[in-house]
Amino acid sequence: MSDTRQEILAATAALLEQVGAEQVSIRDVCQAAGVTAPTVYHHFGDKKELLEAVAAEGFRRYLATKRTRRPSADPLADLRRGWADHIGFGLQHPAFYRLMYGTPNAEERPSAQEGHRLLVGILDRLAEAGRLRMPPEQAAAMIHTASVGTTLRLLSTQKNPWAEGLADRMRDAVFNAVLRQPEQSGNDEPAVAELARALLATLSVGRAAGLTPGEHGILLELLAKLAP
C-alpha cells in the first residue's frame, strides 16, 4: 500500500472519529491528509469507495493478528480470547469498527466472511469435543451478534456506570447459552435432552463412523426430536 494512500486512510479515520461519516467531505480529507482532490479520486474514486477502503483497512488490521495465531490445545480458551480481541479492537479503533460492522451489508464483505470462518473453526473443535449445545454455525451467529452488539453499545455509552463489565457479562451469557458445561448435572432439564443437543452439535461437523448417509440422517432426525 502506497504511503499516500495510507495517509489518506489514516486522515479519514481520524476525521470520522471527530465528526462521523455523514459529515466528512473529500475537501476535509484533502486538508487533513495534505493532498489534492484529484489525488483522493485517483486512489479511491469517490467518498463511498473511500469509506469502503477505510472499512477494508480496519478488517486488515483486525485479521492480521488472527491469521498468525495457531490454535491452542484448548478451544474454549481460543473462543474467550477471540471475544476479548473483538471487543478490544472495537474500543481501540472505533472509527474503523463502525464502518466494519455498523453499516448495511457489513457481513457480506470477504474480510467479514473470513472472520466468520475463523470463529466457526473454533466452534467446530468444541463441537467435536461434545461441548456445544447447537450446531457451530448457529452458535457462531449468536456469538457474533452478541459481540458486535456489545461493542457498538459500548462505543456509544462507555461512560455510563452500568457499562462497566458489560462485555464480560454478555460473554458469559452467550457462552452459557451455546456451550455445554462438563459439570452440568441435568437438574435444570432432562439429561437426555442435554446430551442429545451435544451429540447433534458434534455430528453436525462429521458423520458417525460406521453409519451410512441414510442412517446418519435418521440419527440426526431422532436427536432433533430429543433436543427441542
Side-chain angles (χ1 to χ4, degrees), residues 24-103:
V24 170
S25 68
I26 295 296
R27 184 177 182 179
D28 295 331
V29 172
C30 291
Q31 291 178 344
V35 299
T36 63
T39 300
V40 175
Y41 293 130
H42 168 73
H43 286 283
F44 302 102
D46 57 20
K47 178 181 173 180
K48 181 179 178 181
E49 288 187 23
L50 173 59
L51 295 180
E52 279 293 318
V54 173
E57 172 66 8
F59 274 114
R60 187 191 69 78
R61 296 185 184 188
Y62 175 61
L63 293 172
T65 301
K66 290 181 174 292
R67 288 170 178 154
T68 60
R69 280 181 177 165
R70 294 182 178 275
S72 74
D74 183 359
L76 180 55
D78 292 345
L79 187 64
R80 293 176 67 90
R81 184 174 62 181
W83 175 278
D85 286 347
H86 186 102
I87 302 289
F89 180 88
L91 297 182
Q92 291 172 13
H93 306 283
F96 285 118
Y97 191 87
R98 287 190 178 99
L99 286 177
M100 290 163 60
Y101 291 109
T103 57

Side-chain angles (χ1 to χ4, degrees), residues 4-16 33 54 57 61 96:
T4 300
R5 179 182 172 87
Q6 187 63 48
E7 288 171 4
I8 294 172
L9 288 175
T12 305
L15 286 170
L16 290 171
V54 173
E57 172 66 8
R61 296 185 184 188
F96 285 118

Side-chain angles (χ1 to χ4, degrees), residues 184-208:
Q184 205 160 24
S185 63
N187 293 330
D188 296 331
E189 59 183 327
V192 171
E194 177 65 25
L195 291 172
R197 274 195 292 270
L199 183 54
L200 188 61
T202 301
L203 291 176
S204 70
V205 297
R207 198 170 74 207

Side-chain angles (χ1 to χ4, degrees), residues 39-226:
T39 300
V40 175
Y41 293 130
H42 168 73
H43 286 283
F44 302 102
D46 57 20
K47 178 181 173 180
K48 181 179 178 181
E49 288 187 23
L50 173 59
L51 295 180
E52 279 293 318
V54 173
E57 172 66 8
F59 274 114
R60 187 191 69 78
R61 296 185 184 188
Y62 175 61
L63 293 172
T65 301
K66 290 181 174 292
R67 288 170 178 154
T68 60
R69 280 181 177 165
R70 294 182 178 275
S72 74
D74 183 359
L76 180 55
D78 292 345
L79 187 64
R80 293 176 67 90
R81 184 174 62 181
W83 175 278
D85 286 347
H86 186 102
I87 302 289
F89 180 88
L91 297 182
Q92 291 172 13
H93 306 283
F96 285 118
Y97 191 87
R98 287 190 178 99
L99 286 177
M100 290 163 60
Y101 291 109
T103 57
N105 304 318
E107 309 304 320
E108 297 178 6
R109 293 188 177 103
S111 297
Q113 293 297 316
E114 180 180 349
H116 175 77
R117 289 192 296 272
L118 292 171
L119 173 58
V120 171
I122 296 173
L123 293 168
D124 282 347
R125 294 167 59 210
L126 284 164
E128 291 166 356
R131 294 295 307 277
L132 282 192
R133 302 181 60 180
M134 59 190 68
E137 285 285 350
Q138 185 178 347
M142 291 183 63
I143 293 171
H144 178 71
T145 300
S147 63
V148 172
T150 299
T151 306
L152 292 173
R153 184 68 170 171
L154 287 174
L155 288 177
S156 62
T157 56
Q158 285 187 66
K159 296 182 179 180
N160 285 356
W162 56 261
E164 184 176 355
L166 176 65
D168 290 344
R169 293 193 298 273
M170 286 297 298
R171 177 202 63 207
D172 292 345
V174 72
F175 283 16
N176 285 339
V178 304
L179 295 173
R180 176 174 177 264
Q181 303 302 324
E183 69 277 6
Q184 205 160 24
S185 63
N187 293 330
D188 296 331
E189 59 183 327
V192 171
E194 177 65 25
L195 291 172
R197 274 195 292 270
L199 183 54
L200 188 61
T202 301
L203 291 176
S204 70
V205 297
R207 198 170 74 207
L211 295 183
T212 66
E215 292 169 339
H216 181 77
I218 293 172
L219 177 58
L220 292 181
E221 183 177 349
L222 293 173
L223 290 171
K225 290 183 178 180
L226 293 172

